[in-house]
Amino acid sequence: MTVRVLAMAALALAVASTAAHAADPRYPDWPCTQAKVPDISLAAVWAGPPLDDVQNKWKDDAKISALVAKLSARKTPLDEAEKSVKEFLAASATDKTANAKLLFAGLFDTLNAQRSQVMSGLERVSRKQREAADKIREDTLALQALQGATPRDEAKVEALSNELIWKTRIFEDRHKVVRFVCEVPTTIDQRLFALGRVIQQEME
């Protein structure tokens, strides 16, 4: 069993080493292969009229605030969100431009905040993974020393083997989750761009 344990630990350490090597030196805790872009640029997702005059005013409109919450939720399919935008603006009549600006300002603020929260979470997990990798490395060396000791304490070898298996599995599970969550900021970018495009089209 100890050979398998050491193989698992070696795999975990290889994953940790690869992740560390791939990290952008400007963002040492960023664990994703995707480049870290701290904030979405308004100019990259909005070519409509300036939003300076609306800013946080969208929060004062209960209907728009509720719609922003629905459209920003990842559980809301994008096609459904786009349909809701069209229906809302079609019913806006003379206030269409004002409502469109308020709606996008709300989406921009909310999705940017979501994105920042996800990215901060990823970096927290990355720091935990680095600490876990250091501990796995220490335990692997300790296990090798116990295996080579004379006389060999089988109870200690067994206990440390089991501990190393547990730590390695946690490390690998976190790694899989990180890989999945690394896609989320890009998904948020795409949602904001798509909804911004629909809003602008409906304003024309």
Side-chain angles (χ1 to χ4, degrees), residues 64-137:
I64 288 178
S65 294
L67 184 57
V68 165
K70 175 186 175 183
L71 301 179
S72 300
R74 290 195 294 277
K75 66 181 180 182
T76 303
L78 185 56
D79 57 349
E80 181 183 325
E82 292 175 340
K83 182 182 177 183
S84 295
V85 167
K86 292 175 183 178
E87 291 173 349
F88 171 70
L89 293 179
S92 295
T94 55
D95 297 328
K96 181 180 285 189
T97 297
N99 283 338
K101 290 169 64 176
L102 286 168
L103 181 58
F104 188 76
L107 287 169
F108 185 77
D109 288 351
T110 303
L111 288 173
N112 239 332
Q114 279 185 16
R115 191 175 178 278
S116 295
Q117 187 176 33
V118 169
M119 294 171 84
S120 294
L122 280 166
E123 290 182 324
R124 280 196 303 274
V125 173
S126 176
R127 289 190 288 272
K128 286 184 179 179
Q129 286 292 79
R130 193 157 53 237
E131 292 169 3
D134 289 342
K135 186 59 180 168
I136 289 171
R137 190 175 291 109

Side-chain angles (χ1 to χ4, degrees), residues 27-60:
Y27 308 111
D29 293 328
W30 182 243
C32 307
T33 55
Q34 300 89 332
K36 180 182 178 182
V37 180
D39 297 295
I40 305 172
S41 164
L42 180 61
V45 291
W46 180 252
L51 303 178
D52 299 344
D53 58 330
V54 294
Q55 295 181 342
N56 291 326
K57 292 180 181 177
W58 65 271
K59 296 178 182 178
D60 300 328

Side-chain angles (χ1 to χ4, degrees), residues 4-13 15 129 132-133 135-137 139-140 160-176:
R4 177 172 169 270
V5 172
L6 293 173
M8 288 173 60
L11 177 62
L13 293 174
V15 168
Q129 286 292 79
K135 186 59 180 168
I136 289 171
R137 190 175 291 109
D139 287 352
T140 301
L160 189 53
S161 294
N162 290 334
E163 186 177 345
L164 197 49
I165 287 173
W166 179 247
K167 288 177 181 175
T168 302
R169 283 178 178 164
I170 291 173
F171 182 93
E172 290 172 342
D173 287 345
R174 277 188 189 151
H175 180 66
K176 290 173 185 175

